[in-house]
Amino acid sequence: MILNILDDRSSRVLYAVVESYINKPEPVGSRFVTKKYSFGFSSATIRNIMADLEEIGFLSQPHTSAGRVPTDRGYRYYVDSLLNLEKAISSSEMPREFMNQFSKRLEQIKDDISGMFSEVTSTLSSISNYVSIALPPKTEKATLNRINFIKYKGDHAVAILLTDEGIIKNRIFKIDPMVKQEDLNRIADYLNSEYAGYALDEIRSMLIQSMKREKAQWDKLISRAINIFEQALSFTEEDVFVSGLDDAMNLPDFSDISKIRELSKAIKDKHVIIKLLDELSDAEGVRVMIGNENPVNELKGLSVVASTYKEGNRPMGIIALIGPTRMNYSKAISMVDVIAKCVGRTFDDRK
Amino acid sequence: MILNILDDRSSRVLYAVVESYINKPEPVGSRFVTKKYSFGFSSATIRNIMADLEEIGFLSQPHTSAGRVPTDRGYRYYVDSLLNLEKAISSSEMPREFMNQFSKRLEQIKDDISGMFSEVTSTLSSISNYVSIALPPKTEKATLNRINFIKYKGDHAVAILLTDEGIIKNRIFKIDPMVKQEDLNRIADYLNSEYAGYALDEIRSMLIQSMKREKAQWDKLISRAINIFEQALSFTEEDVFVSGLDDAMNLPDFSDISKIRELSKAIKDKHVIIKLLDELSDAEGVRVMIGNENPVNELKGLSVVASTYKEGNRPMGIIALIGPTRMNYSKAISMVDVIAKCVGRTFDDRK
DNA sequence: ATTAGCACTCTGAGGTTGAGAGTGCTAACG
DNA sequence: CGTTAGCACTCTCAACCTCAGAGTGCTAAT
């Protein structure tokens, strides 16, 4: 936080510049500021203030004799003040009406996790016109409700894994054709009795223990069960839900195709996104990354507004907007905030 | 087919123009043609020929005193000749080496349908630099292998539907909490004995029949089973696999962002794509749609090269490339052809 | 039928200009 | 002392011009 290093007048001028520039991507001149935002000063005074703001790196000029444009640090100051206000005022920008409707919609489809997250990202992107991303609850952290095996085509079996969070994963794998469906059922029963209620990543480490133990004991059924479970657990690829790339192309900031390409590549490379968002997920509430604060090279020059959603107190996943640094932070923040809260509440209700 | 309406000389000139323009998106002049492709004629003669080709609508000039550019009809003539040759020569452009490797790769992952199709589209787009699209086997046409129900959280059940094609769909729905797992098992057993081996869309219409019948008979269990199956069958949304949008952005044809946006929107709207590709799927082998031949408005100005893949003789789905009309048709055709054949073969092997 | 030659057309890059916007500085002001 | 009017200065951007280069169509000669 770098708050309060500006006196009231300066910060008001900064806000004016930021807001005007967010509104229309044109350098903001002193004359314009005096006219549009009626401070009690002449343009000359504003000019002096703006020169000061430039000196401390909050504004910059594209060239001499153009107006000013906020720098990343300028946006940062602006956003920090916003977030400060936000705590008091809460998400006032989103109509309660909308929230209710959206909650209802989620309620209807909460049983279908991936459907629900498609809905979330597409709503978020369509109301914001930025690219929206959601990470569903992490599979590893989900708790096992039950696992089942179904014999398939003689020498295959399908593992179906259900978690308390409603995540369903399935996987086909080869088995010894001698193994009967009853065997599979017994294996499943054993595994369920042993592991249900634990988080999947806990289970994974428990398995490693067991494997050693059972190897010593040579219990055939159990060691086979553990083996199969091991296979079934390797549901590694995490889903990432993305929406709104095409809408974002309408933004003047993306008139240059190369930026879109960067963004689109970064999104395709899920690891990058997951890593980025994971980094944001440790903090409470809404977090904002501006331009070059962004650790991912491809995404410097873009801003990310993200919030975790929680079931009770446990953070489950993250919902984010990616847009140009010239982003409507105030709107974006409250949208992400509200939507994340709706999603969290939906998970709570599920119980 | 509009073949053979050109004499040999004219068509050779047309090919020259098309190929040169595909190679580099610059209007092709008579001088260039004479130099690069050594016909026995001077530029003046070529000019006359080109004027003729323009008259019948195979070439056009961006402006007086620019070179010529192929029209959609010009491309059509070119592609038709290609396809004619193709029948004899077959897909010679793709190295056999690559095909073998790719087949092996598919073989490894054939159990995971969606993984397999991601692989297919991403390879196809990366070797072609166009946008690649694949429709997996249609769920409705797939034959039911078995259905299972798992009780979940007291008042829910999960339906798991397996087809012979390896498609796995699952769906959570509410049930009367009084229904026990054993009841679900009995229901599943009944449904499997009754409906396994039929295509899902057949089953759907069979169900409608049964519902009437059973209503009269008041067999509680069976009518409940049918009801549940009805619910479970509504796995409507079809998957569409897409890859390569970002690579395609590198093409000079897409330097204008609005075209990419159109394409990206059309892709997001899955119905459009499915409808388009369905239309192409009735014919044998590779089919090509050029520019304004395309029925979808958003995609006029783009070309589609598509081929069905078949299990045995039954067409299952479709694989396509979308690119600018200035597309390397010869390469695209053989790539789509080869890949579709690989995919088909993989499905055959599965049996 | 083919071709050399030539007048003609059109584009696109490069250069010039002038209006407009905005600045920084200075000197005057309350 | 902070504020402001005034002014000279800077920079951009759109409009305009020019001209070389590429390519054409036509005609007359082969």
Side-chain angles (χ1 to χ4, degrees):
Chain A
M1 287 278 175
I2 45 176
L3 281 181
N4 297 328
I5 70 169
L6 293 188
D7 57 49
D8 185 56
R9 222 177 45 174
S10 311
S11 56
R12 277 173 60 211
V13 171
L14 178 60
Y15 298 162
V17 174
V18 170
E19 269 156 28
S20 153
Y21 189 65
I22 282 174
N23 200 254
K24 193 144 67 73
E26 274 164 18
V28 190
S30 55
R31 209 180 117 79
F32 181 85
V33 172
T34 32
K35 281 231 159 170
K36 209 74 180 186
Y37 304 75
S38 29
F39 296 82
F41 307 104
S42 80
S43 67
T45 309
I46 302 293
R47 271 205 288 287
N48 289 329
I49 300 174
M50 283 165 101
D52 294 345
L53 286 170
E54 179 162 12
E55 210 163 338
I56 47 172
F58 283 11
L59 294 180
S60 78
Q61 283 179 295
H63 53 265
T64 358
S65 116
R68 255 73 172 207
V69 158
T71 62
D72 287 357
R73 288 192 65 205
Y75 284 123
R76 166 54 60 199
Y77 184 92
Y78 173 78
V79 167
D80 282 348
S81 333
L82 268 188
L83 288 174
N84 248 27
L85 289 175
E86 204 71 16
K87 269 178 201 152
I89 308 176
S90 170
S91 19
S92 53
E93 291 216 29
M94 293 288 283
R96 182 162 301 272
E97 172 61 23
F98 171 83
M99 261 183 76
N100 288 339
Q101 277 220 304
F102 183 67
S103 285
K104 264 183 203 148
R105 177 88 189 98
L106 284 190
E107 197 58 32
Q108 281 168 25
I109 53 172
K110 69 176 176 186
D111 283 335
D112 171 16
I113 287 264
S114 74
M116 177 172 138
F117 276 93
S118 314
E119 179 76 18
V120 168
T121 48
S122 67
T123 329
L124 188 50
S125 68
S126 77
I127 60 174
S128 69
N129 287 316
Y130 301 123
V131 175
S132 90
I133 300 192
L135 300 190
K138 278 205 184 162
T139 314
E140 312 122 44
K141 297 295 174 195
T143 54
L144 178 66
N145 184 288
R146 59 180 296 123
I147 186 164
N148 275 59
F149 299 107
I150 304 174
K151 209 173 174 200
Y152 178 64
K153 290 196 174 176
D155 58 346
H156 284 79
V158 183
I160 289 121
L161 193 148
L162 293 171
T163 72
D164 283 342
E165 286 75 8
I167 302 169
I168 306 172
K169 296 264 182 182
N170 39 243
R171 183 154 182 231
I172 300 183
F173 55 92
K174 275 223 160 124
I175 55 166
D176 185 336
M178 301 295 289
V179 177
K180 304 253 174 261
Q181 177 67 54
E182 298 93 74
D183 301 329
L184 291 175
N185 289 345
R186 288 215 326 277
I187 293 176
D189 287 344
Y190 166 74
L191 293 175
N192 286 322
S193 69
E194 202 78 354
Y195 297 108
Y198 291 98
L200 296 190
D201 59 349
E202 287 171 352
I203 295 176
R204 182 167 278 160
S205 51
M206 288 162 81
L207 282 181
I208 295 169
Q209 299 295 323
S210 309
M211 282 171 104
K212 287 185 200 152
R213 208 177 332 123
E214 302 306 337
K215 214 163 208 167
Q217 283 185 233
W218 288 107
D219 183 322
K220 231 182 167 182
L221 174 73
I222 295 183
S223 81
R224 181 189 287 155
I226 289 174
N227 247 313
I228 290 182
F229 200 12
E230 245 282 305
Q231 282 190 59
L233 260 184
S234 57
F235 301 114
T236 37
E237 22 80 36
E238 294 284 346
D239 286 322
V240 180
F241 293 84
V242 180
S243 171
L245 242 167
D246 35 8
D247 294 322
M249 291 186 209
N250 280 323
L251 297 174
D253 313 74
F254 293 133
S255 58
D256 180 13
I257 202 163
S258 69
K259 283 191 183 170
I260 284 281
R261 212 176 64 226
E262 292 279 288
L263 178 54
S264 149
K265 268 188 184 157
I267 288 170
K268 201 171 72 175
D269 194 353
K270 294 180 180 178
H271 295 293
V272 175
I273 293 294
I274 291 177
K275 209 176 138 199
L276 170 67
L277 294 188
D278 268 357
E279 220 155 297
L280 287 168
S281 72
D282 37 320
E284 284 284 299
V286 181
R287 288 198 56 187
V288 181
M289 267 192 174
I290 297 167
N292 49 33
E293 294 171 7
N294 203 311
V296 182
N297 265 323
E298 290 91 325
L299 299 181
K300 294 199 192 293
L302 297 177
S303 287
V304 183
V305 175
S307 171
T308 51
Y309 56 89
K310 297 184 281 188
E311 184 187 29
N313 267 326
R314 189 163 62 105
M316 300 190 77
I318 195 159
I319 286 173
L321 278 177
I322 299 187
T325 45
R326 188 191 71 83
M327 189 179 199
N328 190 328
Y329 291 98
S330 136
K331 251 171 113 186
I333 289 169
S334 57
M335 287 193 262
V336 167
D337 187 40
V338 166
I339 299 266
K341 278 175 184 152
C342 283
V343 171
R345 215 171 302 128
T346 309
F347 276 104
D348 282 339
D349 289 355
R350 182 198 293 268
K351 293 240 139 152
Chain B
M1 288 276 178
I2 47 176
L3 281 179
N4 298 328
I5 70 169
L6 292 188
D7 57 49
D8 184 56
R9 221 177 47 174
S10 311
S11 56
R12 278 175 58 211
V13 171
L14 178 61
Y15 298 162
V17 173
V18 170
E19 269 157 27
S20 153
Y21 188 67
I22 281 174
N23 199 254
K24 194 143 67 73
E26 276 164 17
V28 192
S30 56
R31 208 180 118 78
F32 180 84
V33 173
T34 32
K35 282 231 160 174
K36 209 75 180 183
Y37 304 75
S38 30
F39 296 84
F41 308 105
S42 81
S43 66
T45 311
I46 302 295
R47 271 205 290 288
N48 289 328
I49 300 174
M50 283 166 100
D52 293 346
L53 286 171
E54 179 162 10
E55 209 162 338
I56 48 174
F58 283 11
L59 295 180
S60 76
Q61 284 179 296
H63 53 265
T64 357
S65 117
R68 256 73 172 208
V69 161
T71 62
D72 287 357
R73 287 192 65 206
Y75 283 122
R76 167 53 62 199
Y77 184 90
Y78 171 79
V79 167
D80 282 349
S81 331
L82 268 189
L83 288 174
N84 248 26
L85 289 174
E86 206 71 17
K87 269 177 202 156
I89 307 177
S90 171
S91 18
S92 53
E93 290 215 30
M94 293 288 284
R96 180 162 303 274
E97 171 61 22
F98 171 84
M99 262 182 76
N100 288 339
Q101 277 219 305
F102 183 67
S103 285
K104 264 184 203 146
R105 177 88 190 97
L106 285 190
E107 196 58 30
Q108 282 169 24
I109 52 172
K110 68 176 176 185
D111 283 335
D112 171 16
I113 286 265
S114 74
M116 177 172 137
F117 277 93
S118 314
E119 179 77 19
V120 167
T121 48
S122 66
T123 344
L124 189 50
S125 69
S126 76
I127 60 175
S128 70
N129 288 315
Y130 301 123
V131 175
S132 90
I133 301 193
L135 300 190
K138 278 204 184 159
T139 314
E140 311 121 46
K141 296 295 173 193
T143 54
L144 177 66
N145 184 288
R146 59 178 297 120
I147 185 164
N148 274 59
F149 299 108
I150 304 173
K151 204 170 177 202
Y152 178 65
K153 290 194 174 175
D155 58 346
H156 284 78
V158 184
I160 290 120
L161 192 148
L162 293 171
T163 73
D164 283 343
E165 286 75 9
I167 302 169
I168 306 171
K169 296 264 183 180
N170 37 241
R171 183 155 181 233
I172 299 183
F173 56 90
K174 275 224 159 127
I175 55 167
D176 184 335
M178 301 296 289
V179 178
K180 303 255 173 257
Q181 177 69 51
E182 297 94 71
D183 300 328
L184 291 175
N185 289 345
R186 283 202 344 265
I187 293 175
D189 286 344
Y190 166 73
L191 293 175
N192 286 321
S193 69
E194 202 78 355
Y195 297 109
Y198 291 98
L200 297 189
D201 59 348
E202 286 172 351
I203 294 177
R204 184 168 277 161
S205 52
M206 287 162 81
L207 282 181
I208 296 168
Q209 297 296 324
S210 310
M211 282 172 105
K212 287 184 200 151
R213 208 175 334 123
E214 302 306 337
K215 212 162 209 167
Q217 282 186 233
W218 289 107
D219 182 321
K220 231 182 168 180
L221 175 73
I222 295 184
S223 80
R224 181 189 287 156
I226 289 173
N227 248 312
I228 290 181
F229 201 10
E230 246 280 308
Q231 282 190 60
L233 260 184
S234 56
F235 301 116
T236 37
E237 22 83 31
E238 294 282 347
D239 286 324
V240 180
F241 293 85
V242 180
S243 169
L245 243 168
D246 35 8
D247 294 323
M249 292 187 209
N250 279 322
L251 297 174
D253 314 73
F254 293 133
S255 58
D256 180 14
I257 202 162
S258 69
K259 283 192 184 170
I260 283 282
R261 212 176 64 225
E262 291 281 287
L263 178 53
S264 148
K265 264 186 187 159
I267 287 170
K268 200 171 75 176
D269 194 352
K270 294 179 180 179
H271 295 293
V272 174
I273 293 294
I274 292 177
K275 208 176 139 199
L276 168 68
L277 294 188
D278 268 356
E279 219 155 299
L280 286 168
S281 72
D282 38 319
E284 283 283 298
V286 181
R287 289 198 57 186
V288 181
M289 266 190 174
I290 297 166
N292 50 32
E293 294 171 9
N294 203 311
V296 183
N297 266 324
E298 291 91 324
L299 299 180
K300 293 201 193 291
L302 296 177
S303 288
V304 183
V305 175
S307 172
T308 51
Y309 56 90
K310 296 184 282 189
E311 184 187 29
N313 268 325
R314 188 163 62 105
M316 300 189 76
I318 195 160
I319 287 173
L321 278 177
I322 299 187
T325 45
R326 188 192 72 83
M327 189 181 200
N328 190 328
Y329 292 97
S330 137
K331 251 171 110 185
I333 289 169
S334 56
M335 287 194 260
V336 168
D337 187 38
V338 166
I339 299 266
K341 278 175 184 154
C342 284
V343 171
R345 215 171 301 127
T346 309
F347 276 102
D348 283 339
D349 289 355
R350 182 195 295 269
K351 294 236 138 153

